[in-house]
Amino acid sequence: MMEEFELIGWPEIQFYMELEGFRENSTLVDPNTNIGIDSSTYLVSKSWLESLINK
């Protein structure tokens, strides 16, 4: 099963960066202005994000 991810950019990503599990559940995306991806944009696991809500 392929995991789903959410794109989160700057400055919103700052909220998640210090949380336990961020490094294991996210990856920095290379900027690509042709498709609207700015620098400091991350792919973040949706299941990890949902686990934060359920704590």
Side-chain angles (χ1 to χ4, degrees), residues 22-36:
F22 175 77
R23 291 181 191 256
E24 297 82 7
N25 292 285
S26 65
T27 189
L28 182 62
V29 179
D30 287 333
N32 186 327
T33 55
N34 293 328
I35 58 173

PDB file of all heavy atoms in Angstrom, residues 22-36:
ATOM      1  N   PHE A  22       8.931  14.105  13.236  1.00  0.00           N
ATOM      2  CA  PHE A  22       8.927  14.905  12.001  1.00  0.00           C
ATOM      3  C   PHE A  22       9.933  14.382  10.991  1.00  0.00           C
ATOM      4  O   PHE A  22       9.597  14.172   9.835  1.00  0.00           O
ATOM      5  CB  PHE A  22       9.204  16.381  12.309  1.00  0.00           C
ATOM      6  CG  PHE A  22       9.329  17.224  11.069  1.00  0.00           C
ATOM      7  CD1 PHE A  22       8.190  17.614  10.377  1.00  0.00           C
ATOM      8  CD2 PHE A  22      10.566  17.611  10.577  1.00  0.00           C
ATOM      9  CE1 PHE A  22       8.285  18.385   9.220  1.00  0.00           C
ATOM     10  CE2 PHE A  22      10.677  18.377   9.434  1.00  0.00           C
ATOM     11  CZ  PHE A  22       9.539  18.764   8.756  1.00  0.00           C
ATOM     12  N   ARG A  23      11.154  14.149  11.419  1.00  0.00           N
ATOM     13  CA  ARG A  23      12.208  13.710  10.482  1.00  0.00           C
ATOM     14  C   ARG A  23      11.883  12.364   9.845  1.00  0.00           C
ATOM     15  O   ARG A  23      12.191  12.136   8.681  1.00  0.00           O
ATOM     16  CB  ARG A  23      13.553  13.631  11.190  1.00  0.00           C
ATOM     17  CG  ARG A  23      14.091  14.990  11.575  1.00  0.00           C
ATOM     18  CD  ARG A  23      15.440  14.851  12.256  1.00  0.00           C
ATOM     19  NE  ARG A  23      15.855  16.089  12.862  1.00  0.00           N
ATOM     20  CZ  ARG A  23      16.777  16.893  12.350  1.00  0.00           C
ATOM     21  NH1 ARG A  23      17.365  16.567  11.232  1.00  0.00           N
ATOM     22  NH2 ARG A  23      17.106  18.009  12.952  1.00  0.00           N
ATOM     23  N   GLU A  24      11.258  11.478  10.592  1.00  0.00           N
ATOM     24  CA  GLU A  24      10.935  10.151  10.084  1.00  0.00           C
ATOM     25  C   GLU A  24       9.718  10.151   9.152  1.00  0.00           C
ATOM     26  O   GLU A  24       9.515   9.199   8.392  1.00  0.00           O
ATOM     27  CB  GLU A  24      10.657   9.181  11.244  1.00  0.00           C
ATOM     28  CG  GLU A  24      11.827   8.931  12.153  1.00  0.00           C
ATOM     29  CD  GLU A  24      12.033   9.997  13.224  1.00  0.00           C
ATOM     30  OE1 GLU A  24      11.190  10.905  13.381  1.00  0.00           O
ATOM     31  OE2 GLU A  24      13.067   9.934  13.911  1.00  0.00           O
ATOM     32  N   ASN A  25       8.905  11.195   9.243  1.00  0.00           N
ATOM     33  CA  ASN A  25       7.645  11.222   8.513  1.00  0.00           C
ATOM     34  C   ASN A  25       7.528  12.345   7.495  1.00  0.00           C
ATOM     35  O   ASN A  25       6.426  12.682   7.053  1.00  0.00           O
ATOM     36  CB  ASN A  25       6.482  11.322   9.506  1.00  0.00           C
ATOM     37  CG  ASN A  25       6.358  10.061  10.307  1.00  0.00           C
ATOM     38  OD1 ASN A  25       5.886   9.058   9.794  1.00  0.00           O
ATOM     39  ND2 ASN A  25       6.807  10.084  11.547  1.00  0.00           N
ATOM     40  N   SER A  26       8.673  12.915   7.124  1.00  0.00           N
ATOM     41  CA  SER A  26       8.650  13.999   6.150  1.00  0.00           C
ATOM     42  C   SER A  26       9.921  13.987   5.305  1.00  0.00           C
ATOM     43  O   SER A  26      10.923  13.376   5.684  1.00  0.00           O
ATOM     44  CB  SER A  26       8.526  15.348   6.855  1.00  0.00           C
ATOM     45  OG  SER A  26       9.686  15.595   7.637  1.00  0.00           O
ATOM     46  N   THR A  27       9.849  14.672   4.177  1.00  0.00           N
ATOM     47  CA  THR A  27      11.022  14.836   3.332  1.00  0.00           C
ATOM     48  C   THR A  27      10.938  16.179   2.628  1.00  0.00           C
ATOM     49  O   THR A  27       9.855  16.607   2.213  1.00  0.00           O
ATOM     50  CB  THR A  27      11.156  13.682   2.308  1.00  0.00           C
ATOM     51  OG1 THR A  27      12.407  13.770   1.653  1.00  0.00           O
ATOM     52  CG2 THR A  27      10.041  13.679   1.303  1.00  0.00           C
ATOM     53  N   LEU A  28      12.078  16.840   2.534  1.00  0.00           N
ATOM     54  CA  LEU A  28      12.159  18.126   1.859  1.00  0.00           C
ATOM     55  C   LEU A  28      12.030  17.912   0.353  1.00  0.00           C
ATOM     56  O   LEU A  28      12.638  17.000  -0.208  1.00  0.00           O
ATOM     57  CB  LEU A  28      13.497  18.794   2.191  1.00  0.00           C
ATOM     58  CG  LEU A  28      13.749  20.181   1.617  1.00  0.00           C
ATOM     59  CD1 LEU A  28      12.725  21.177   2.153  1.00  0.00           C
ATOM     60  CD2 LEU A  28      15.161  20.631   1.984  1.00  0.00           C
ATOM     61  N   VAL A  29      11.236  18.751  -0.294  1.00  0.00           N
ATOM     62  CA  VAL A  29      10.996  18.646  -1.728  1.00  0.00           C
ATOM     63  C   VAL A  29      11.830  19.714  -2.439  1.00  0.00           C
ATOM     64  O   VAL A  29      11.910  20.857  -1.980  1.00  0.00           O
ATOM     65  CB  VAL A  29       9.499  18.863  -2.044  1.00  0.00           C
ATOM     66  CG1 VAL A  29       9.230  18.779  -3.524  1.00  0.00           C
ATOM     67  CG2 VAL A  29       8.644  17.873  -1.287  1.00  0.00           C
ATOM     68  N   ASP A  30      12.432  19.347  -3.547  1.00  0.00           N
ATOM     69  CA  ASP A  30      13.170  20.328  -4.352  1.00  0.00           C
ATOM     70  C   ASP A  30      12.198  21.368  -4.899  1.00  0.00           C
ATOM     71  O   ASP A  30      11.114  21.014  -5.387  1.00  0.00           O
ATOM     72  CB  ASP A  30      13.885  19.657  -5.518  1.00  0.00           C
ATOM     73  CG  ASP A  30      15.093  18.847  -5.081  1.00  0.00           C
ATOM     74  OD1 ASP A  30      15.690  19.172  -4.037  1.00  0.00           O
ATOM     75  OD2 ASP A  30      15.437  17.888  -5.791  1.00  0.00           O
ATOM     76  N   PRO A  31      12.581  22.637  -4.837  1.00  0.00           N
ATOM     77  CA  PRO A  31      11.713  23.686  -5.389  1.00  0.00           C
ATOM     78  C   PRO A  31      11.489  23.478  -6.889  1.00  0.00           C
ATOM     79  O   PRO A  31      12.387  23.035  -7.604  1.00  0.00           O
ATOM     80  CB  PRO A  31      12.502  24.969  -5.155  1.00  0.00           C
ATOM     81  CG  PRO A  31      13.489  24.646  -4.095  1.00  0.00           C
ATOM     82  CD  PRO A  31      13.791  23.186  -4.238  1.00  0.00           C
ATOM     83  N   ASN A  32      10.279  23.785  -7.334  1.00  0.00           N
ATOM     84  CA  ASN A  32       9.935  23.707  -8.748  1.00  0.00           C
ATOM     85  C   ASN A  32       8.860  24.756  -9.008  1.00  0.00           C
ATOM     86  O   ASN A  32       7.667  24.510  -8.797  1.00  0.00           O
ATOM     87  CB  ASN A  32       9.446  22.317  -9.118  1.00  0.00           C
ATOM     88  CG  ASN A  32       9.208  22.160 -10.593  1.00  0.00           C
ATOM     89  OD1 ASN A  32       8.816  23.103 -11.279  1.00  0.00           O
ATOM     90  ND2 ASN A  32       9.437  20.964 -11.101  1.00  0.00           N
ATOM     91  N   THR A  33       9.286  25.926  -9.440  1.00  0.00           N
ATOM     92  CA  THR A  33       8.335  27.016  -9.647  1.00  0.00           C
ATOM     93  C   THR A  33       7.336  26.733 -10.761  1.00  0.00           C
ATOM     94  O   THR A  33       6.252  27.328 -10.782  1.00  0.00           O
ATOM     95  CB  THR A  33       9.077  28.339  -9.937  1.00  0.00           C
ATOM     96  OG1 THR A  33       9.953  28.147 -11.045  1.00  0.00           O
ATOM     97  CG2 THR A  33       9.880  28.792  -8.729  1.00  0.00           C
ATOM     98  N   ASN A  34       7.666  25.823 -11.648  1.00  0.00           N
ATOM     99  CA  ASN A  34       6.738  25.470 -12.736  1.00  0.00           C
ATOM    100  C   ASN A  34       5.458  24.828 -12.214  1.00  0.00           C
ATOM    101  O   ASN A  34       4.409  24.929 -12.863  1.00  0.00           O
ATOM    102  CB  ASN A  34       7.404  24.529 -13.738  1.00  0.00           C
ATOM    103  CG  ASN A  34       8.524  25.186 -14.496  1.00  0.00           C
ATOM    104  OD1 ASN A  34       8.487  26.375 -14.768  1.00  0.00           O
ATOM    105  ND2 ASN A  34       9.541  24.416 -14.831  1.00  0.00           N
ATOM    106  N   ILE A  35       5.542  24.153 -11.075  1.00  0.00           N
ATOM    107  CA  ILE A  35       4.351  23.515 -10.510  1.00  0.00           C
ATOM    108  C   ILE A  35       3.985  24.093  -9.143  1.00  0.00           C
ATOM    109  O   ILE A  35       3.196  23.516  -8.399  1.00  0.00           O
ATOM    110  CB  ILE A  35       4.500  21.976 -10.446  1.00  0.00           C
ATOM    111  CG1 ILE A  35       5.721  21.556  -9.620  1.00  0.00           C
ATOM    112  CG2 ILE A  35       4.548  21.388 -11.842  1.00  0.00           C
ATOM    113  CD1 ILE A  35       5.823  20.067  -9.387  1.00  0.00           C
ATOM    114  N   GLY A  36       4.592  25.235  -8.789  1.00  0.00           N
ATOM    115  CA  GLY A  36       4.193  25.947  -7.575  1.00  0.00           C
ATOM    116  C   GLY A  36       4.799  25.437  -6.279  1.00  0.00           C
ATOM    117  O   GLY A  36       4.233  25.665  -5.218  1.00  0.00           O
TER     118      GLY A  36
END
